Amino acid sequence: MIEVKSLYKKYGSIDAVNGISFKVNRGEILGFLGPNGAGKSTTMKMITGFVRPSSGTILVEGQDVQEHPVGIKEKIGYLPENGPVYGEMTVQEFLRFIAEIRGFRDPMEKEEKIDRVCDLCRLNSVRHQSIETLSKGFKQRVGFAQAVLHDPPVLIMDEPTDGLDPNQKKEVRKIIKAMAQDKAIILSTHILEEVGALCSRVIIIAKGALIADESPESLLERNRRFNALRIQVDGVDNKTVRNALRDLPEVSAVTLNDNYFEIFPKNKRAIEALVLKTLRDNNWLITHFEKAPVGLDEVFWELTA
Amino acid sequence: MKQIVPLFKREFLGYFRSPIAYVFLIVFLVVSAGLTFYLGRFFESRVASLETFFNLQPWIYTFFIAAVGMRLWSEERRSGTWELLLTLPIRTWEAVLGKFLAGWAFIALGIALTFPLLLTVAYLGNPDWGPLWTGYMGSMLMAGSFLAVCSFTSAITKNQVISFVISVVINLGLVFLGWSVFTELMSFLPLSWVDGLSNFSYTTHFVSFTRGLIVFKDLIFFLSLTFFSLLLTVIVLEH
């Protein structure tokens, strides 16, 4: 669907994007992660044809973005950062304008398309309000409606949930997920929880270069604490416990933090059963036992810092 | 090409979404008529023509058209909507042309609303209609060139004030070059130089229209100035 091959973008002497290549297939939701200024937005702008690459090729459904700019734009739905919209228009006027420019001239077809996205994005209650009077959540949904009006096979969204409250975020994610099956979707975000909740694949970009391209699950496995355990034991001195655990063949290290033992497995394999058995065999009283919480935060930090 | 229609519609109607359009039209009409009557001594001249009205137009346009044109692209750049617009299936030149035509139509409306002046000369005397029609035609053409320059200056900046100032400077320059005061001031230069310079002026090319003549090179001047300014707009927007 989308194929990006060794993409470069220079602004003067600054390399905004430095040789990025990746593919996105139908049915995938690709999450773009990276610190601010890493080149996420620039890459998306190049795919949509808004910014011209310094070199490299972008194919959308096999067509080159540079050679068929208008043809490609028909296939792409794009929600730019901060969801810019013409504030002085009403939601309906704005969506009509988009529909007409997208080539839906037949009044029946046009209204049908607008009705569909108003239902999808729950805009019916504000259809006749001018956009500048709407709340940020509604504005964002108008931008979103505009992007999916023509039911595009490719959807590109730059921080679609930025600035929304938790309920609105959930709402927008639900809409995105609902449309995912038959589209190739790229979205950028700096909210890590969103990646786990939404994306089937993650690309991490830092300083214009691609440093990871994998599923959120395998990205989690890169966490130092993946499959590590946090336990607390009563009635026995720390040294005894530590030594007993450290001697286990599957354990690589045991540390003591704030009265909690952290047990790290070798090769990040699961060790719950083994550790539990050891503690039971010694008849120690277990007051706390959990898998160490792992997030993408640490992984992200380690990869991009 | 078909995409120009919805864009034109949006832009043209967009002028009337805010009260500024009405304020603009009223002030434009008051100033046009007022200057014609007071500065141009319309009655005292005792001639049934609009020559004084037309002569003042380049000066009025310099400021009024800059006010219409300053927001063409700079507003879109400031609010980020140009990213939305230029990622819709529309070519950059189509977007530039659509916006330009809408602005031009709005100004044409303003010019058309000066018709009471026509009625006045028709009532007071027995005007020669030829120069009146060609004058209006030249006026529209000239307005297009003014606006195209504004289109370019608004594409280079996010700031409407900067866009306004630069377009006023450029357009004023192009008015000055043909103004008699300026040509006299430059009389120390060889005559051919002065003529050459004044060839780049709106006034030089507008004057024959107001006398009832449609001269080919004047037509070409306005059309090519419009064309090149719009072309520059496209180039700036595409970097």
Side-chain angles (χ1 to χ4, degrees):
Chain A
M1 284 300 273
I2 307 172
E3 201 176 346
V4 172
K5 289 185 215 158
S6 51
L7 199 60
Y8 287 85
K9 179 69 193 177
K10 283 186 203 309
Y11 289 111
S13 63
I14 300 159
D15 297 317
V17 172
N18 211 346
I20 285 181
S21 305
F22 63 88
K23 268 187 195 176
V24 192
N25 293 316
R26 199 179 277 263
E28 273 190 305
I29 304 182
L30 177 71
F32 260 28
L33 274 181
N36 290 332
K40 293 173 296 189
S41 292
T42 310
T43 306
M44 296 180 124
K45 282 176 199 204
M46 286 192 280
I47 299 173
T48 57
F50 181 63
V51 167
R52 206 170 282 188
S54 303
S55 71
T57 49
I58 301 164
L59 302 178
V60 174
E61 290 198 313
Q63 280 190 317
D64 193 306
V65 172
Q66 301 274 73
E67 285 165 28
H68 309 273
V70 173
I72 298 285
K73 284 168 186 171
E74 281 168 3
K75 292 186 180 128
I76 294 181
Y78 178 41
L79 176 64
E81 201 171 355
N82 305 323
V85 280
Y86 294 107
E88 74 284 4
M89 299 177 100
T90 68
V91 172
Q92 174 133 320
E93 283 168 341
F94 176 65
L95 292 175
R96 274 196 186 138
F97 164 65
I98 298 288
E100 282 166 20
I101 268 205
R102 290 242 175 238
F104 303 113
R105 299 285 152 76
D106 175 56
M108 285 278 284
E109 192 187 16
K110 190 167 75 184
E111 293 309 313
E112 189 192 312
K113 294 275 172 196
I114 294 170
D115 287 345
R116 189 186 70 89
V117 288
C118 283
D119 286 342
L120 181 73
C121 304
R122 312 210 176 164
L123 289 169
N124 284 313
S125 60
V126 297
R127 262 173 102 144
H128 302 288
Q129 276 188 43
S130 67
I131 299 173
E132 61 199 353
T133 64
L134 299 177
S135 69
K136 175 124 197 187
F138 270 119
K139 271 185 200 159
Q140 189 76 355
R141 277 190 263 166
V142 172
F144 194 76
Q146 159 280 125
V148 298
L149 185 120
H150 54 306
D151 198 16
V154 172
L155 189 55
I156 294 173
M157 294 173 282
D158 202 346
E159 305 197 347
T161 60
D162 192 41
L164 303 184
D165 71 34
N167 295 336
Q168 295 167 331
K169 276 183 188 161
K170 214 171 156 188
E171 193 84 349
V172 167
R173 281 180 205 152
K174 227 160 75 186
I175 301 172
I176 296 173
K177 266 210 152 153
M179 317 194 289
Q181 304 108 359
D182 57 346
K183 294 191 198 310
I185 299 182
I186 300 180
L187 60 90
S188 76
T189 177
H190 50 239
I191 308 162
L192 292 155
E193 47 158 329
E194 195 155 280
V195 171
L198 259 181
C199 304
S200 57
R201 226 173 87 215
V202 184
I203 279 182
I204 297 182
I205 300 176
K207 296 186 186 108
L210 197 150
I211 53 177
D213 177 357
E214 50 200 83
S215 69
E217 294 78 25
S218 73
L219 204 57
L220 263 186
E221 281 180 36
R222 291 188 186 222
N223 193 309
R224 206 167 56 87
R225 289 195 164 79
F226 187 76
N227 268 339
L229 298 174
R230 259 161 72 87
I231 63 168
Q232 216 171 21
V233 182
D234 234 18
V236 57
D237 71 303
N238 289 339
K239 212 173 168 193
T240 321
V241 178
R242 185 191 284 189
N243 286 340
L245 293 172
R246 199 159 45 194
D247 291 342
L248 292 172
E250 302 282 314
V251 170
S252 72
V254 179
T255 60
L256 185 63
N257 285 327
D258 308 329
N259 286 327
Y260 285 96
F261 286 106
E262 274 196 322
I263 309 158
F264 293 89
K266 280 180 183 156
N267 299 324
K268 297 187 173 168
R269 269 192 293 247
I271 49 167
E272 294 94 312
L274 184 73
V275 171
L276 207 52
K277 185 172 177 301
T278 314
L279 299 175
R280 283 246 195 84
D281 288 350
N282 285 299
N283 269 329
W284 290 328
L285 180 64
I286 306 164
T287 52
H288 189 97
F289 189 97
E290 64 164 352
K291 270 196 146 172
V294 287
L296 285 170
D297 310 43
E298 297 94 336
V299 180
F300 181 75
W301 195 80
E302 273 171 30
L303 285 171
T304 58
Chain B
M1 204 62 184
K2 268 187 278 172
Q3 274 86 338
I4 292 182
V5 179
L7 181 62
F8 175 86
K9 209 171 78 183
R10 193 204 89 75
E11 290 287 323
F12 184 72
L13 295 177
Y15 285 103
F16 299 97
R17 284 205 176 88
S18 78
I20 296 169
Y22 302 99
V23 173
F24 173 87
L25 285 176
I26 290 165
V27 175
F28 173 72
L29 294 177
V30 167
V31 168
S32 294
L35 288 181
T36 304
F37 281 100
Y38 293 103
L39 212 63
R41 303 189 170 274
F42 180 68
F43 288 128
E44 289 88 332
S45 69
R46 308 190 64 81
V47 179
S49 88
L50 286 179
E51 209 171 320
T52 49
F53 166 69
F54 288 131
N55 285 342
L56 287 166
Q57 274 188 325
W59 303 95
I60 297 172
Y61 284 0
T62 301
F63 297 95
F64 275 85
I65 293 183
V68 175
M70 66 181 182
R71 51 174 288 284
L72 275 182
W73 285 101
S74 42
E75 171 123 327
E76 298 247 1
R77 290 191 59 160
R78 189 188 50 76
S79 65
T81 46
W82 70 320
E83 191 167 348
L84 183 79
L85 181 61
L86 297 178
T87 52
L88 288 169
I90 184 167
R91 288 177 185 81
T92 310
W93 68 264
E94 292 172 328
V96 168
L97 193 61
K99 274 176 159 294
F100 167 76
L101 289 176
W104 201 11
F106 176 70
I107 292 164
L109 177 69
I111 297 172
L113 287 176
T114 60
F115 74 92
L117 284 172
L118 272 183
L119 297 183
T120 311
V121 286
Y123 175 75
L124 291 176
N126 192 11
D128 182 357
W129 288 99
L132 291 179
W133 294 132
T134 55
Y136 266 98
M137 184 188 150
S139 183
M140 297 267 184
L141 269 175
M142 182 168 68
S145 299
F146 271 89
L147 186 66
V149 168
C150 295
S151 167
F152 163 65
T153 61
S154 77
I156 56 179
T157 172
K158 281 180 192 177
N159 187 320
Q160 294 195 26
V161 177
I162 295 177
S163 155
F164 178 87
V165 170
I166 299 176
S167 68
V168 165
V169 168
I170 296 177
N171 278 330
L172 204 56
L174 291 177
V175 174
F176 260 131
L177 289 178
W179 194 30
S180 53
V181 175
F182 172 81
T183 46
E184 271 163 39
L185 214 66
M186 291 290 116
S187 57
F188 62 88
L189 287 173
L191 192 63
S192 61
W193 288 29
V194 179
D195 273 356
L197 277 177
S198 66
N199 249 323
F200 286 99
S201 172
Y202 290 119
T203 24
T204 313
H205 293 278
F206 182 49
V207 79
S208 50
F209 281 102
T210 65
R211 289 174 188 161
L213 297 170
I214 301 174
V215 181
F216 185 66
K217 80 170 193 216
D218 298 335
L219 267 179
I220 292 299
F221 171 78
F222 287 123
L223 291 178
S224 57
L225 181 59
T226 305
F227 175 79
F228 282 112
S229 301
L230 292 180
L231 186 68
L232 276 178
T233 312
V234 174
I235 291 170
V236 166
L237 289 175
E238 289 190 339
H239 303 287

